[in-house]
């Protein structure tokens, strides 16, 4: 089954304790992306990756890091989490623009993060 | 700066009504536009994808249209059902592979 998986699904942590949220897709997609969703603000793009070792900032990259060492995985790293990073996080994947005629985005189930 | 706006923010209708959700975007140079459904506390489910060269897409009771020149897309839901109750999001993709989402329309279909 084609899918995007995220782990963990729920996480409560404390300020400053480094954490990683994993994302994996089995559709051989080049493009992967991270979003955060906050009430009243909708989904905002944090980082995206066009392919292995190619990443770029979205609209809200501050306080986050990403890496793309393998095509299927795109972890989101919070080196020193703060309470304002409490949010619902989504990972997504798709073919890149210009490839294919039906390059919809597929989303993972989300990770609800609380930083105390 | 690209912006995507969805109106109304919330909508409550009786079962059986036909309804229209609106999505507008400031930069018309889009690559595609995708409509999603999100249930409370859940992920996003893709409903319809419209490429920039298309005018509309249909799936069952759903029809999405796109007018790039006016920067608008509409999602038409026919014969609404209580199971359609959810938040509907539109997402605009640009050629440079960045995505912009609207804040969504929360739909409540009353039995």
């Amino acid at each position: 089954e084609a899918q995007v998986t995220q782990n963990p699904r729920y996480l409560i942590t404390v300020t400053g304790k480094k954490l990683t949220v994993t994302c994996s897709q089995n559709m051989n997609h080049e493009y992967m992306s991270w979003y955060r969703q906050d009430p009243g603000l909708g989904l905002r793009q944090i980082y995206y990756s066009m392919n292995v070792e190619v990443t770029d900032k979205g609209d809200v990259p501050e306080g986050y890091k990403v890496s793309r060492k393998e095509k299927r995985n795109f972890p989101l790293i919070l080196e020193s989490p703060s309470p304002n990073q409490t949010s619902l996080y989504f990972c997504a994947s798709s073919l890149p623009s210009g490839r294919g005629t039906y390059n919809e985005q597929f989303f993972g189930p989300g990770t609800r993060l609380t930083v105390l | 700066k690209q912006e995507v706006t969805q109106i109304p923010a919330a909508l409550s209708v009786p079962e059986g009504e036909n309804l229209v959700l609106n999505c507008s975007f400031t930069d018309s140079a889009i690559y595609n536009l995708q409509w999603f459904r999100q249930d409370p506390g859940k992920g996003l489910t893709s409903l319809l994808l419209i490429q920039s060269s298309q005018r509309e897409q249909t799936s069952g009771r759903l029809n999405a249209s796109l007018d790039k020149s006016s920067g608008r897309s509409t999602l038409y839901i026919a014969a609404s059902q209580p199971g359609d109750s959810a938040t509907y999001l539109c997402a605009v993709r640009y050629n440079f592979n960045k995505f912009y989402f609207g804040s969504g329309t929360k739909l409540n279909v009353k039995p």
Side-chain angles (χ1 to χ4, degrees), chain A residues 31 35 37 40-43 45 48 50 57-59 88 90 94-105 107-109, chain B residues 1-2 31-32 34 36 38 41-44 46-49 51 57 89 91 93-103:
Chain A
Y31 184 90
Y35 300 88
Q37 185 177 34
L41 296 176
L43 276 88
Q45 196 168 27
Y48 63 95
M50 293 294 294
K57 297 177 181 178
D59 279 346
L88 180 59
F90 289 102
S94 77
L95 294 173
S97 298
R99 279 272 315 278
T101 58
Y102 200 73
N103 47 8
E104 64 178 315
Q105 271 199 112
F107 277 77
Chain B
K1 185 180 188 304
Q2 287 78 11
Y31 182 74
N32 64 33
Q34 194 169 354
F36 293 90
Q38 185 177 26
K42 299 291 179 63
L44 279 70
S46 179
L47 298 174
L48 288 165
L49 173 74
Q51 299 291 356
Q57 283 284 340
L89 300 165
R93 182 175 195 169
Y94 291 94
N95 284 334
F96 42 90
N97 280 297
K98 293 183 79 169
F99 289 82
Y100 293 88
F101 280 78
S103 296

Side-chain angles (χ1 to χ4, degrees), chain B residues 64-94:
Chain B
S65 68
L66 175 65
D67 184 345
K68 279 201 320 178
S69 61
S70 65
R72 295 185 62 183
S73 176
T74 61
L75 179 66
Y76 175 82
I77 303 177
S80 58
Q81 304 170 356
D84 294 331
S85 298
T87 297
Y88 291 80
L89 300 165
C90 68
V92 176
R93 182 175 195 169
Y94 291 94

